[in-house]
Amino acid sequence: MQSRPTMDSFIRRLALRSPLDEADMAAIAALPRTKREIKAKSYLIREGDKSHAFCSLILSGMAYRHKLTDQGARQIVAIHVPDDLLDPQHLFLKFADYSVQALTTLEVADIDHSALQDLILQNPAVARALWVDGLVDSAIYREWVLNIGRRDARSRIAHLLCEMAVRMRAAGVIEDSRFYLPMTQEQMGDATGLTSVHVNRTLKALTASGLIEQTGRWIGISDWDSIRRVGDFNPLYLHLDQSAPQSEASLHSPFMT
């Protein structure tokens, strides 16, 4: 995934969440931050850790948030793509109640907590945009609960593929209907409440049905309308653009220009 040395893409995303003027955007761009690279599989946050003095923004790469039972069973509760803030709740909560690991090599910008808190408290427009961003995260969580609780295996996997295609396209990291999804079948199972064997069987069924093409971890969406119907996928919950009304066009392929 392409490196993003600045926060321009993140600022544009916030401006879609809620209107920002030039001064608002300049204030976000001026936030003190440190860029660092994190190896795949490394932990950024561990459950029970005390909150860091910074908030990490993904510039490139992907990460995942998860919880463990006492017996060590893992549930992946979120996948994070570029422009996602990994730990905004730590601005005000003292301890982590989840873990975050790098799914790929990550490049992040660690934004100073105190500076971000001051900006939020002093700039209502920025506070509103970040608040809306947090509400969208909540909407995604709700959809994941529905996906695991009420959809069958075929629909769960189809829905996950649809969501990742739309979010990765919105983040500017893919441009066509074939994309690299850096998740093992075990990780896909932990995100959908399925075993890796069931995930493998389901991916083969989606391929046999002509909905996707799969080569290793490369996924090609062959029939967007059909896989969207199979996955019961409506991107409304992603709220990609708060300034634009939702319409039937929002159901169109994310790969259409």
Side-chain angles (χ1 to χ4, degrees):
M1 294 185 181
Q2 186 176 5
S3 174
R4 300 171 179 215
T6 71
M7 294 172 58
D8 291 350
S9 181
F10 174 63
I11 293 170
R12 286 194 295 272
R13 166 169 146 167
L14 289 183
L16 291 174
R17 301 301 198 207
S18 186
L20 298 173
D21 61 24
E22 292 296 327
D24 299 326
M25 292 187 280
I28 299 171
L31 284 167
R33 59 193 181 272
T34 302
K35 190 168 71 172
R36 61 181 171 131
E37 186 176 285
I38 300 162
K39 293 181 180 180
K41 301 182 181 179
S42 298
Y43 277 85
L44 288 86
I45 302 165
R46 288 184 183 270
E47 186 169 358
D49 282 354
K50 189 173 182 180
S51 297
H52 298 154
F54 53 82
C55 186
S56 297
L57 170 70
I58 297 182
L59 299 176
S60 66
M62 295 173 65
Y64 64 99
R65 188 183 307 258
H66 65 82
K67 301 272 291 182
L68 296 176
T69 68
D70 287 342
Q71 290 74 39
R74 180 179 65 180
Q75 180 67 49
I76 293 177
V77 297
I79 303 296
H80 293 290
V81 300
D83 300 330
D84 281 0
L85 281 171
L86 291 177
D87 49 357
Q89 49 269 66
H90 288 175
L91 285 171
F92 301 104
L93 298 179
K94 294 182 179 180
F95 296 95
D97 58 82
Y98 54 81
S99 297
V100 175
Q101 278 183 274
L103 189 58
T104 66
T105 297
L106 282 179
E107 189 175 37
V108 301
D110 293 330
I111 303 169
D112 180 76
H113 263 186
S114 297
L116 185 53
Q117 286 176 340
D118 289 345
L119 179 61
I120 290 171
L121 295 174
Q122 296 169 13
N123 191 313
V126 174
R128 178 185 173 91
L130 286 168
W131 180 257
V132 172
D133 202 56
L135 292 175
V136 174
D137 273 348
S138 296
I140 294 173
Y141 280 128
R142 288 191 291 272
E143 190 70 22
W144 277 47
V145 171
L146 175 64
N147 200 41
I148 293 174
R150 291 298 177 185
R151 295 186 178 114
D152 62 22
R154 190 165 180 255
S155 295
R156 291 183 205 181
I157 296 297
H159 192 280
L160 178 65
L161 296 179
C162 288
E163 178 181 309
M164 296 315 302
V166 170
R167 290 178 59 204
M168 292 169 75
R169 175 62 187 266
V173 296
I174 60 173
E175 295 182 356
D176 56 36
S177 60
R178 188 169 180 266
F179 61 95
Y180 186 75
L181 184 61
M183 298 178 71
T184 65
Q185 291 182 357
E186 179 184 6
Q187 289 165 339
M188 293 180 71
D190 287 349
T192 55
L194 302 170
T195 65
S196 56
V197 172
H198 207 162
V199 170
N200 180 272
R201 187 183 305 126
T202 303
L203 288 170
K204 287 181 177 178
L206 291 173
T207 301
S209 299
L211 301 183
I212 66 170
E213 298 175 358
Q214 184 186 13
T215 305
R217 296 181 189 174
W218 283 92
I219 302 292
I221 303 294
S222 305
D223 187 338
W224 174 256
D225 287 338
S226 294
I227 196 171
R228 177 183 62 78
R229 285 193 292 270
V230 168
D232 186 30
F233 179 78
N234 183 330
L236 171 65
Y237 71 97
L238 297 174
H239 301 280
L240 292 173
D241 187 350
Q242 285 287 99
S243 66
Q246 297 293 327
S247 67
E248 188 65 26
S250 68
L251 300 178
H252 290 170
S253 170
F255 311 112
M256 293 176 62
T257 57

